[in-house]
Amino acid sequence: ATSVHAGYVFSSCLCCLPAILPMSCARCPHTPTCLILFAILELSQGSVRGASLCNSSGVETLEVYRYHFGQDHITLADRNAGDALGDMHYVCTRADAKVYKNCLVSRWEVVAETSWGPYAVCNSLLGSHRCFGSLGSNVGRVNAVLHHGSKGQCSKNEGVGSWFSFPGDSECKPGAAVGADGCKWSGKRVRSVSARCIIEDRGLADACDKNRGHGPYEDAGRILEAALASDDPDRGGCPDADLGEEHHREITL
Protein backbone atom coordinates (compact mmCIF):
# COMPACT_ATOMS: atom_id res chain seq x y z
CA ALA A 1 0.00 0.00 0.00
CA THR A 2 2.67 2.47 -1.05
CA SER A 3 3.91 4.52 -3.98
CA VAL A 4 6.13 1.54 -4.74
CA HIS A 5 3.20 -0.86 -4.30
CA ALA A 6 2.44 -3.96 -6.37
CA GLY A 7 2.25 -2.72 -9.92
CA TYR A 8 4.12 0.49 -9.22
CA VAL A 9 6.42 0.26 -12.19
CA PHE A 10 5.14 3.18 -14.23
CA SER A 11 8.16 5.45 -13.88
CA SER A 12 10.48 2.98 -15.59
CA CYS A 13 8.18 2.58 -18.59
CA LEU A 14 7.46 6.09 -19.74
CA CYS A 15 9.45 5.48 -22.91
CA CYS A 16 6.85 3.03 -24.19
CA LEU A 17 3.64 4.31 -22.62
CA PRO A 18 2.70 6.92 -25.26
CA ALA A 19 1.84 4.21 -27.76
CA ILE A 20 0.06 2.10 -25.09
CA LEU A 21 1.22 -1.00 -26.92
CA PRO A 22 3.50 -3.69 -25.43
CA MET A 23 5.31 -4.02 -28.75
CA SER A 24 6.55 -0.44 -28.31
CA CYS A 25 8.54 -1.63 -25.32
CA ALA A 26 11.09 -3.30 -27.55
CA ARG A 27 13.01 -0.03 -27.59
CA CYS A 28 12.53 0.58 -23.86
CA PRO A 29 15.56 -0.11 -21.61
CA HIS A 30 13.15 -1.52 -19.01
CA THR A 31 11.30 -3.91 -21.33
CA PRO A 32 10.59 -6.66 -18.71
CA THR A 33 9.21 -4.10 -16.29
CA CYS A 34 7.18 -2.50 -19.05
CA LEU A 35 5.59 -5.79 -20.05
CA ILE A 36 4.73 -6.45 -16.40
CA LEU A 37 2.98 -3.07 -16.36
CA PHE A 38 0.73 -3.96 -19.25
CA ALA A 39 -0.09 -7.31 -17.67
CA ILE A 40 -1.09 -5.52 -14.47
CA LEU A 41 -3.27 -3.06 -16.36
CA GLU A 42 -5.03 -5.90 -18.13
CA LEU A 43 -5.54 -7.87 -14.90
CA SER A 44 -6.76 -4.81 -13.03
CA GLN A 45 -9.38 -4.10 -15.67
CA GLY A 46 -10.39 -7.75 -15.74
CA SER A 47 -10.85 -7.80 -11.98
CA VAL A 48 -13.91 -5.52 -12.19
CA ARG A 49 -15.77 -7.53 -14.80
CA GLY A 50 -18.83 -8.86 -13.01
CA ALA A 51 -17.79 -7.14 -9.75
CA SER A 52 -20.26 -5.52 -7.39
CA LEU A 53 -20.15 -3.24 -4.37
CA CYS A 54 -20.34 -4.45 -0.77
CA ASN A 55 -23.43 -3.77 1.31
CA SER A 56 -22.86 -0.55 3.20
CA SER A 57 -22.68 -0.56 6.99
CA GLY A 58 -22.49 3.21 7.13
CA VAL A 59 -19.33 5.24 7.64
CA GLU A 60 -16.08 3.90 9.10
CA THR A 61 -12.92 5.62 10.35
CA LEU A 62 -9.67 4.04 9.12
CA GLU A 63 -6.06 4.46 10.14
CA VAL A 64 -3.96 3.91 7.02
CA TYR A 65 -0.28 4.19 6.17
CA ARG A 66 1.57 4.99 3.00
CA TYR A 67 5.23 4.79 1.99
CA HIS A 68 6.00 7.49 -0.56
CA PHE A 69 8.64 9.72 -2.09
CA GLY A 70 9.11 13.47 -2.10
CA GLN A 71 6.20 15.76 -1.42
CA ASP A 72 3.53 13.13 -2.03
CA HIS A 73 2.22 13.52 1.53
CA ILE A 74 -0.29 16.16 0.50
CA THR A 75 -3.20 13.93 -0.56
CA LEU A 76 -4.49 10.37 -0.79
CA ALA A 77 -6.56 11.09 -3.89
CA ASP A 78 -5.96 8.46 -6.60
CA ARG A 79 -3.50 6.68 -4.35
CA ASN A 80 -3.20 3.40 -2.46
CA ALA A 81 -2.62 2.88 1.26
CA GLY A 82 -2.93 0.06 3.76
CA ASP A 83 -3.72 -0.48 7.40
CA ALA A 84 -0.67 -1.26 9.55
CA LEU A 85 -0.78 -5.03 9.10
CA GLY A 86 -1.71 -4.79 5.44
CA ASP A 87 1.16 -2.45 4.66
CA MET A 88 3.60 -4.79 6.37
CA HIS A 89 2.38 -7.69 4.24
CA TYR A 90 3.78 -5.75 1.31
CA VAL A 91 6.94 -4.22 2.77
CA CYS A 92 8.01 -7.34 4.66
CA THR A 93 7.60 -9.65 1.67
CA ARG A 94 10.11 -7.71 -0.41
CA ALA A 95 13.58 -9.23 -0.66
CA ASP A 96 14.93 -6.46 1.55
CA ALA A 97 12.70 -4.12 3.53
CA LYS A 98 15.58 -1.61 3.62
CA VAL A 99 14.86 -0.77 -0.04
CA TYR A 100 12.36 1.74 1.39
CA LYS A 101 14.70 3.49 3.81
CA ASN A 102 14.93 6.68 1.74
CA CYS A 103 11.14 7.06 1.63
CA LEU A 104 8.78 8.86 3.93
CA VAL A 105 5.87 7.20 5.72
CA SER A 106 2.63 9.04 6.38
CA ARG A 107 -0.22 8.09 8.67
CA TRP A 108 -3.70 9.14 7.60
CA GLU A 109 -7.07 9.16 9.31
CA VAL A 110 -9.73 8.42 6.71
CA VAL A 111 -13.49 8.51 7.05
CA ALA A 112 -15.06 6.35 4.33
CA GLU A 113 -18.43 5.08 3.18
CA THR A 114 -18.30 1.28 3.53
CA SER A 115 -19.85 0.09 0.28
CA TRP A 116 -16.36 -1.04 -0.70
CA GLY A 117 -15.52 -1.55 -4.35
CA PRO A 118 -12.74 -3.65 -5.91
CA TYR A 119 -9.18 -2.59 -5.08
CA ALA A 120 -7.58 -0.50 -7.84
CA VAL A 121 -3.87 -0.04 -8.58
CA CYS A 122 -3.06 3.69 -8.46
CA ASN A 123 0.04 5.61 -9.48
CA SER A 124 1.39 8.64 -11.26
CA LEU A 125 1.16 8.13 -14.99
CA LEU A 126 2.25 10.71 -17.57
CA GLY A 127 2.14 13.52 -15.05
CA SER A 128 -1.11 12.75 -13.21
CA HIS A 129 -2.31 10.22 -10.68
CA ARG A 130 -4.93 7.71 -11.75
CA CYS A 131 -6.31 4.34 -10.64
CA PHE A 132 -6.81 1.19 -12.71
CA GLY A 133 -9.40 -1.43 -11.85
CA SER A 134 -11.89 0.58 -9.79
CA LEU A 135 -15.66 0.25 -9.90
CA GLY A 136 -17.22 3.69 -10.02
CA SER A 137 -16.08 6.12 -7.35
CA ASN A 138 -16.18 3.84 -4.30
CA VAL A 139 -13.17 3.28 -2.07
CA GLY A 140 -11.60 -0.06 -2.97
CA ARG A 141 -10.52 -2.72 -0.47
CA VAL A 142 -8.75 -6.07 -0.76
CA ASN A 143 -7.16 -8.72 1.46
CA ALA A 144 -3.44 -7.87 1.72
CA VAL A 145 -2.45 -11.53 1.36
CA LEU A 146 -5.04 -12.94 -1.06
CA HIS A 147 -5.05 -9.80 -3.19
CA HIS A 148 -6.71 -11.16 -6.29
CA GLY A 149 -10.20 -10.43 -7.59
CA SER A 150 -12.66 -9.56 -4.83
CA LYS A 151 -10.96 -11.45 -1.98
CA GLY A 152 -11.25 -9.32 1.15
CA GLN A 153 -13.38 -6.66 -0.50
CA CYS A 154 -16.31 -7.23 1.86
CA SER A 155 -14.54 -8.78 4.87
CA LYS A 156 -12.62 -7.32 7.81
CA ASN A 157 -9.39 -9.12 6.85
CA GLU A 158 -8.48 -9.64 10.49
CA GLY A 159 -5.03 -11.10 11.02
CA VAL A 160 -3.83 -10.22 7.52
CA GLY A 161 -4.74 -6.58 6.94
CA SER A 162 -6.23 -4.63 4.06
CA TRP A 163 -5.12 -2.50 1.13
CA PHE A 164 -7.26 0.44 0.02
CA SER A 165 -7.61 2.58 -3.10
CA PHE A 166 -8.99 6.13 -2.89
CA PRO A 167 -10.56 7.53 -6.10
CA GLY A 168 -9.91 11.23 -6.42
CA ASP A 169 -13.30 12.04 -7.93
CA SER A 170 -15.15 10.90 -4.79
CA GLU A 171 -13.05 12.73 -2.20
CA CYS A 172 -15.11 15.06 -0.05
CA LYS A 173 -14.49 18.78 -0.25
CA PRO A 174 -12.67 20.30 2.76
CA GLY A 175 -15.03 20.44 5.73
CA ALA A 176 -17.76 18.38 4.05
CA ALA A 177 -19.16 15.25 5.68
CA VAL A 178 -18.98 11.92 3.89
CA GLY A 179 -22.11 11.62 1.77
CA ALA A 180 -22.39 15.33 0.99
CA ASP A 181 -22.89 15.78 -2.75
CA GLY A 182 -22.24 12.07 -3.16
CA CYS A 183 -18.66 12.12 -1.83
CA LYS A 184 -17.36 8.79 -0.48
CA TRP A 185 -14.33 9.59 1.70
CA SER A 186 -12.25 12.27 3.38
CA GLY A 187 -8.69 12.06 4.65
CA LYS A 188 -6.53 13.92 7.14
CA ARG A 189 -2.79 13.39 7.34
CA VAL A 190 -1.76 12.88 10.96
CA ARG A 191 2.03 12.62 10.73
CA SER A 192 4.90 11.88 8.36
CA VAL A 193 8.25 10.39 9.41
CA SER A 194 11.40 9.10 7.80
CA ALA A 195 11.18 5.45 6.79
CA ARG A 196 14.84 5.08 7.76
CA CYS A 197 13.90 5.77 11.38
CA ILE A 198 11.30 2.98 11.36
CA ILE A 199 13.32 0.45 9.37
CA GLU A 200 16.73 0.90 10.97
CA ASP A 201 16.32 2.72 14.29
CA ARG A 202 13.08 1.05 15.42
CA GLY A 203 13.95 -2.42 14.12
CA LEU A 204 11.35 -2.92 11.39
CA ALA A 205 13.81 -4.68 9.07
CA ASP A 206 14.65 -7.25 11.75
CA ALA A 207 10.96 -7.78 12.57
CA CYS A 208 10.26 -8.40 8.88
CA ASP A 209 13.14 -10.87 8.60
CA LYS A 210 11.83 -12.87 11.57
CA ASN A 211 8.62 -13.87 9.80
CA ARG A 212 9.56 -13.40 6.17
CA GLY A 213 7.89 -15.86 3.86
CA HIS A 214 5.17 -16.98 6.24
CA GLY A 215 3.91 -14.05 8.32
CA PRO A 216 1.92 -12.86 10.08
CA TYR A 217 3.76 -9.57 10.47
CA GLU A 218 2.10 -8.47 13.68
CA ASP A 219 5.35 -7.37 15.35
CA ALA A 220 6.25 -5.29 12.30
CA GLY A 221 2.77 -3.77 12.30
CA ARG A 222 3.11 -2.75 15.94
CA ILE A 223 6.49 -1.11 15.19
CA LEU A 224 4.92 0.88 12.35
CA GLU A 225 2.00 2.00 14.52
CA ALA A 226 4.25 3.06 17.40
CA ALA A 227 6.60 4.97 15.10
CA LEU A 228 3.72 7.10 13.77
CA ALA A 229 1.84 7.38 17.08
CA SER A 230 4.27 9.80 18.73
CA ASP A 231 7.73 11.32 18.44
CA ASP A 232 8.85 9.83 21.78
CA PRO A 233 11.68 7.33 21.16
CA ASP A 234 11.00 5.67 24.51
CA ARG A 235 7.59 4.69 23.14
CA GLY A 236 8.95 3.60 19.78
CA GLY A 237 8.14 6.91 18.11
CA CYS A 238 10.01 8.66 15.30
CA PRO A 239 10.48 12.43 14.89
CA ASP A 240 8.42 14.34 12.36
CA ALA A 241 9.94 14.41 8.90
CA ASP A 242 11.23 17.63 7.37
CA LEU A 243 8.64 17.95 4.62
CA GLY A 244 10.52 20.86 3.10
CA GLU A 245 13.27 18.51 1.96
CA GLU A 246 12.91 17.00 -1.50
CA HIS A 247 13.30 13.25 -1.82
CA HIS A 248 13.99 12.46 -5.47
CA ARG A 249 15.23 8.90 -5.19
CA GLU A 250 13.26 6.50 -7.41
CA ILE A 251 13.00 2.76 -6.94
CA THR A 252 12.00 0.36 -9.68
CA LEU A 253 10.60 -3.01 -8.58
Side-chain angles (χ1 to χ4, degrees), residues 10 31 78 123 127 133 152 171 181 207 214 217 245 251-252:
F10 297 94
T31 297
D78 292 320
N123 208 317
E171 181 180 13
D181 297 322
H214 57 80
Y217 298 101
E245 179 182 352
I251 296 175
T252 300

Side-chain angles (χ1 to χ4, degrees), residues 25-251:
C25 297
R27 63 178 181 271
C28 181
H30 302 285
T31 297
T33 303
C34 189
L35 293 176
I36 291 171
L37 168 62
F38 285 104
I40 289 169
L41 296 184
E42 175 61 24
L43 289 172
S44 66
Q45 294 304 308
S47 69
V48 301
R49 298 186 187 117
S52 59
L53 300 176
C54 303
N55 293 326
S56 176
S57 59
V59 171
E60 182 176 337
T61 300
L62 311 170
E63 291 284 345
V64 299
Y65 301 82
R66 186 167 183 270
Y67 280 70
H68 57 87
F69 303 116
Q71 299 301 298
D72 202 29
H73 63 280
I74 297 172
T75 180
L76 278 181
D78 292 320
R79 288 157 172 81
N80 298 120
D83 58 25
L85 191 54
D87 215 33
M88 293 302 93
H89 269 284
Y90 182 77
V91 173
C92 287
T93 54
R94 302 303 92 190
D96 182 0
K98 290 184 179 180
V99 72
Y100 298 104
K101 66 184 179 182
N102 291 313
C103 297
L104 299 176
V105 186
S106 292
R107 171 189 166 202
W108 287 78
E109 183 179 280
V110 176
V111 179
E113 206 283 325
T114 56
S115 53
W116 311 111
Y119 175 80
V121 175
C122 308
N123 208 317
S124 177
L125 180 60
L126 300 179
S128 63
H129 275 79
R130 59 189 74 182
C131 297
F132 298 87
S134 60
L135 183 63
S137 58
N138 289 65
V139 174
R141 181 172 70 174
V142 74
N143 184 302
V145 176
L146 304 173
H147 44 88
H148 301 287
S150 61
K151 294 182 175 65
Q153 178 183 333
C154 301
S155 60
K156 291 292 187 180
N157 301 323
E158 295 178 353
V160 294
S162 299
W163 294 344
F164 299 91
S165 51
F166 298 99
D169 61 0
S170 62
E171 181 180 13
C172 298
K173 295 179 181 179
V178 172
D181 297 322
C183 70
K184 303 292 186 180
W185 66 277
S186 64
K188 176 184 178 182
R189 186 181 62 85
V190 180
R191 298 188 67 222
S192 297
V193 305
S194 163
R196 185 185 296 270
C197 173
I198 306 174
I199 292 169
E200 296 183 349
D201 301 341
R202 302 296 175 260
L204 180 62
D206 291 338
C208 286
D209 289 341
K210 184 173 67 174
N211 291 323
R212 190 182 307 281
H214 57 80
Y217 298 101
E218 293 175 346
D219 289 344
R222 282 190 284 268
I223 289 172
L224 177 66
E225 289 176 324
L228 272 296
S230 78
D231 60 2
D232 184 353
D234 292 334
R235 299 168 58 189
C238 285
D240 290 315
D242 178 5
L243 298 179
E245 179 182 352
E246 293 290 342
H247 296 258
H248 293 299
R249 175 181 170 84
E250 290 188 359
I251 296 175

Side-chain angles (χ1 to χ4, degrees), residues 16-24 38 41 125-126:
C16 57
L17 277 172
I20 314 298
L21 290 171
M23 61 192 70
S24 303
F38 285 104
L41 296 184
L125 180 60
L126 300 179

